[in-house]
Amino acid sequence: MANESPKATWQKVLNTLEVDLSPAVFSTFLKTTTIEKSEKGITTVLVKDRYQKENLELRYYAQIKAALDDITGTKNELIFKVASSLKPKTERAGLGPLFREEKELDVETLKRKAKEAGLAPFYTFANFVVGSNNNLAHAVARAIVDKPGALYNPLFIYSGVGLGKTHLIQAIGNEILRKHQNLTVVYCTGESFMNELIESITEGRKKTFLFRRKFRAADVWIIDDVQFIAGRESTQEEFFNTFNALYQDKRQVILASDRPPKEIPHIEERLSSRFAAGMIARMDPPDLEMRVAILRNKRQETGFAVSDEVLETVASLVRSNIRELEGALLQVVSAAATTGKELNKDSVREILETTNGENTALSSPKKILNAICDKYDVRLKDLKSPTRKAAIALPRQICMYLLRQESQLSLEAVGELLGGRDHTTILHGVGKIENLVKKDKKLAQDILNLSTNF
Ligand code: ADP
Ligand code: MG
């Protein structure tokens, strides 16, 4: 639309569509539209209500886009926006002041609503422990529950695995269902979004319509593990359109991922920049105090009869993440139940260090170091030394990788064990092996074989 005003271009689009579409369709859905602006390939069209908006998005998007592309000679995205004389739905909530006091929903109704939204009702704020690692994310989450769509939009939460992303974003969804009974919450994962999209496309137009209707009806859209859609073109396209439609209408969007927007590989720039446009909150691994608090909470929830000493020992041994922490507590409790052993500092340590079951978080670091020295014929002294010779550097990096994976040591602890290296060096080494393992089958097998030794 370089040479003429957006308004003139839009008039041309309307002229074209008037010929293409039936008179009834044209006058119902298009005649009254006006253009608000056209910037960076995104054209914002004003419509009078949500009904019109939905129909244009779901049924006529392709046709309108084709006409616009044709006239401008460029590729365009379209956004339909309800003209601002109408407030967004979240603010129109309720039936006026007289009826503001909503009754608490009963547990069964809440469970049903959670299920419809795709949420697990057991993720709540009540059982989410707040500490220095997650207090920012938690505060933002709370603010969103009070006023969805108003302040932090979109919210993008990221952290390593098992640190509470899913728990927190589902708690937001559950709490909104409880507090704002008129709002529709839709939770999905990047993966389920893609699968549903593909399924709807294979099943035909009607299903695609239903797919869009489901997501575009959301007042609060929560997407977990959004990194999954990276590298998948048509999924990203649909995601982008859904995101824009909701975002423009001031609906709340909440995203969770394992890394910040700009670091998600193979994600389109237009998506990552939108993800980064609101609030970004990182969650870190829990410190000792927080780990103890989480285990106390778990003890209360489950009624496990374990002493503070036991909780503290588990918390000091399992540092990596909260999922492993909970797993370790369960492991200790079940080992005690089957062997009849009394639980104390030493027995807990023994259980966590010697069990080699599937969900064991811990392999002894010493065993890992020994296994590496054996296999690669290097000395422990060399692993700890500054030398960067390839014959030493690679085993050292494998060692870093295994110490992280198998004993769940912190980056700092791995650094210490390997001669006082900096945590960024460890991060780099671990990343390198992670990449290598994906490509190099032999190395992957070697590492697997190695890990049977500890
Ligand atoms: P992520 O999605 O980041 O991988 P999850 O949300 O699945 O992590 O959390 C892993 C486990 O740890 C879940 O069982 C969750 O309930 C628990 N958890 C995580 N953070 C907390 C917390 N702050 N308080 C209590 N439990 C937590
Ligand atoms: Mg998760």
Side-chain angles (χ1 to χ4, degrees), residues 75-254:
K75 292 253 174 262
N76 296 276
E77 303 287 347
L78 282 147
I79 289 168
F80 298 98
K81 197 168 139 186
V82 179
S84 57
S85 59
L86 285 174
K87 295 235 169 77
K89 188 181 165 199
T90 45
E91 288 173 36
R92 278 187 277 139
L95 290 169
L98 260 183
F99 299 93
R100 269 283 148 76
E101 287 283 293
E102 284 174 318
K103 273 209 217 125
E104 279 274 312
L105 291 178
D106 62 88
V107 178
E108 283 313 310
T109 312
L110 264 177
K111 270 195 186 159
R112 182 178 49 76
K113 288 186 81 170
K115 204 171 154 212
E116 281 166 11
L119 295 163
F122 50 80
Y123 288 119
T124 63
F125 279 102
N127 59 13
F128 188 79
V129 181
V130 185
S132 56
N133 64 314
N134 62 15
N135 55 1
L136 171 70
H138 175 261
V140 173
R142 278 292 190 183
I144 286 177
V145 168
D146 287 342
K147 280 194 180 153
L151 290 167
Y152 303 110
N153 208 11
L155 166 63
F156 189 99
I157 294 185
Y158 74 94
S159 78
V161 292
L163 294 178
K165 297 180 294 294
T166 298
H167 189 139
L168 185 61
I169 61 178
Q170 293 222 16
I172 300 177
N174 283 317
E175 190 67 8
I176 288 180
L177 286 178
R178 208 166 67 81
K179 276 200 162 168
H180 306 273
Q181 290 161 24
N182 58 312
L183 296 188
T184 306
V185 176
V186 177
Y187 172 93
C188 67
T189 61
E191 185 174 12
S192 66
F193 181 85
M194 181 189 82
N195 289 338
E196 277 184 50
L197 173 67
I198 292 172
E199 199 179 313
S200 81
I201 291 170
T202 24
E203 290 195 17
R205 272 184 61 172
K206 191 155 166 242
K207 276 281 158 64
T208 317
F209 176 81
L210 292 176
F211 172 86
R212 294 202 170 129
R213 195 166 73 178
K214 168 181 162 184
F215 287 100
R216 296 191 190 188
D219 295 297
V220 180
W221 187 29
I222 306 175
I223 312 98
D224 204 351
D225 293 321
V226 66
Q227 72 276 2
F228 193 89
I229 65 164
R232 302 166 207 261
E233 205 176 314
S234 52
T235 307
Q236 292 192 74
E237 171 78 20
E238 184 66 29
F239 196 94
F240 180 75
N241 292 330
T242 311
F243 183 97
N244 282 336
L246 295 178
Y247 179 75
Q248 292 291 324
D249 210 22
K250 296 209 169 42
R251 322 284 181 87
Q252 178 71 50
V253 181
I254 299 164

Side-chain angles (χ1 to χ4, degrees), residues 354-387:
T354 56
T355 331
N356 235 340
E358 251 173 63
N359 52 13
T360 311
L362 303 167
S363 294
S364 142
K366 214 161 98 195
K367 286 189 185 154
I368 294 179
L369 290 167
N370 288 340
I372 296 270
C373 291
D374 269 2
K375 158 96 187 158
Y376 293 97
D377 201 16
V378 291
R379 290 169 304 171
L380 191 55
K381 217 172 83 191
D382 297 328
L383 290 180
K384 297 187 178 197
S385 77
T387 179

Side-chain angles (χ1 to χ4, degrees), residues 4-40:
E4 59 185 357
S5 73
K7 208 173 148 193
T9 309
W10 190 243
Q11 192 51 54
K12 283 192 189 161
V13 173
L14 291 181
N15 294 344
T16 310
L17 292 169
E18 191 168 10
V19 179
D20 289 352
L21 296 167
S22 80
V25 167
F26 183 78
S27 62
T28 315
F29 297 121
L30 280 146
K31 202 169 172 187
T32 54
T33 56
T34 53
I35 192 160
E36 185 187 57
K37 59 181 177 203
S38 183
E39 276 170 13
K40 295 183 186 153

